Amino acid sequence: DDVDPLNSSLWSWSEMGDVVPFFSVPKGGHHAFHTTLLPGNRSSTTSTTLLLVGCNVASEVAVLSRQQGDDEWAMLDLMEGNQMACPTDEEDEFLFLMGLTVVLLPLRLAGVNHYDNNFCYPFSMLTSTDGSLMGFAPYHRILGERFLARP
């Protein structure tokens, strides 16, 4: 049974505790959370959906994972240097997340030429308080681009 992770009528609530580590909120400020869905290749036998979660008083983006057929989300513990994060400024001060999205690009534009041209690959993008736009290409170390490529 093929379940579309983008169909909100099928969503459920999972208590996760603190997902995104964040800095203290400035006086008079507030938290603004950003989320975006990174659906996996549903034609794959290991279909996984990734949820990216960020906060306006944090520099890193958390990655949650859910396997097809599971009801629970799990926090992914990415290796040092492989996290989505805002850069630091010239004084090595943290910059904060202002926006988060996923853009689907045809694989040939992503530089992957050995795959079917009808597939797209999701690139995660974030904006930070300095106005910069950064792109991240998620990659499964065993399955490669097939893990997230979509027809």
Side-chain angles (χ1 to χ4, degrees), residues 8-20:
S8 63
S9 68
L10 302 175
W11 295 354
S12 62
W13 178 262
S14 297
E15 179 61 44
M16 296 291 298
D18 290 337
V19 173
V20 181

Side-chain angles (χ1 to χ4, degrees), residues 9-136:
S9 68
L10 302 175
W11 295 354
S12 62
W13 178 262
S14 297
E15 179 61 44
M16 296 291 298
D18 290 337
V19 173
V20 181
F22 53 83
F23 301 100
S24 61
V25 179
K27 187 174 183 174
H30 65 280
H31 290 89
F33 288 92
H34 305 275
T35 60
T36 190
L37 199 63
L38 226 159
N41 181 350
R42 290 186 302 180
S43 63
S44 168
T45 57
T46 58
S47 180
T48 300
T49 298
L50 301 177
L51 179 66
L52 308 178
V53 182
C55 180
N56 68 322
V57 288
S59 59
E60 291 186 8
V61 174
V63 181
L64 304 175
S65 169
R66 186 173 70 185
Q67 297 288 334
Q68 183 174 353
D70 285 352
D71 289 334
E72 297 295 318
W73 289 92
M75 188 108 155
L76 292 184
D77 186 19
L78 302 176
M79 293 174 48
E80 185 69 32
N82 290 332
Q83 303 96 339
M84 282 184 67
C86 295
T88 54
D89 63 13
E90 297 81 26
E91 288 84 36
D92 211 25
E93 295 290 324
F94 287 103
L95 298 173
F96 301 117
L97 183 71
M98 297 297 292
L100 185 61
T101 191
V102 171
V103 177
L104 289 173
L105 291 176
L107 282 174
R108 67 183 182 285
L109 294 179
V112 179
N113 297 317
H114 61 278
Y115 215 110
D116 186 338
N117 282 336
N118 294 323
F119 275 70
C120 289
Y121 192 80
F123 285 90
S124 310
M125 302 186 83
L126 64 83
T127 57
S128 63
T129 48
D130 70 341
S132 62
L133 174 67
M134 290 154 288
F136 297 86

